[in-house]
Amino acid sequence: MVFSKERYKQLVERASPPSPLGKDCLLAFLFGGGLCAGAQGLCALYQTWGLSLPQARTAVSLSLIFLSALLTALGWYDQIAKYAGAGTLVPITGFANSVVSPAMEFKTEGLVTGLGAKLFTVAGPVLVFGVTASVVYGLVLVLLQALGVPL
């Protein structure tokens, strides 16, 4: 069966439900903002427990990574994302979810060939690019300093 472009576009528009953009943006803003406010509250809590500010920030990062990974493993992160949308993409929680999700999907294949191999499906390229970019940036910086370029 062959469709013209116009006919195909009509079929897609009919089958696609309208997106409540305003509602989606509001929920993403509220959830993402709430997540960040909660992280700030955790930082204050950790400081009242005697941690210095740098230690409290580290503890907050670890807490958010752990909670995101746990919620992903329990299957709850996706349920939250259905309502919160882009609000779940706050970098540290979204990245933790993107690392754990592929691993959980392939856990039935075993610890090494399933869980271990798929753990870095998404994170691997990000880490490789980040490390490579930082090395290139460092080499350019060293070269510019060697040439006497003021930075």
Side-chain angles (χ1 to χ4, degrees):
M1 188 180 273
V2 178
F3 290 111
S4 67
K5 288 184 181 181
E6 293 81 25
R7 177 72 177 135
Y8 179 74
K9 184 178 178 182
Q10 289 172 350
L11 289 172
V12 168
E13 286 176 3
R14 194 172 352 141
S16 301
S19 175
L21 186 60
K23 177 185 160 208
D24 289 348
C25 289
L26 180 64
L27 287 173
F29 174 77
L30 292 174
F31 185 83
L35 186 59
C36 293
Q40 188 63 43
L42 266 179
C43 187
L45 177 67
Y46 289 143
Q47 284 181 293
T48 62
W49 290 350
L51 296 179
S52 66
L53 182 58
Q55 291 171 332
R57 288 177 177 163
T58 301
V60 168
S61 295
L62 292 173
S63 298
L64 291 177
I65 290 168
F66 173 77
L67 288 172
S68 296
L70 179 65
L71 291 174
T72 301
L74 295 173
W76 297 351
Y77 199 92
D78 289 338
Q79 297 301 318
I80 294 168
K82 284 181 184 178
Y83 298 101
T88 59
L89 298 178
V90 173
I92 198 162
T93 57
F95 190 68
N97 173 259
S98 69
V99 170
V100 175
S101 290
M104 295 308 297
E105 187 175 333
F106 291 93
K107 70 181 177 184
T108 57
E109 294 181 21
L111 287 177
V112 175
T113 57
L115 191 82
K118 298 296 180 181
L119 191 61
F120 294 105
T121 299
V122 173
V126 173
L127 295 171
V128 168
F129 179 78
V131 169
T132 304
S134 65
V135 168
V136 169
Y137 177 77
L139 291 173
V140 168
L141 187 62
V142 168
L143 179 65
L144 290 175
Q145 286 178 341
L147 294 173
V149 177
L151 302 173

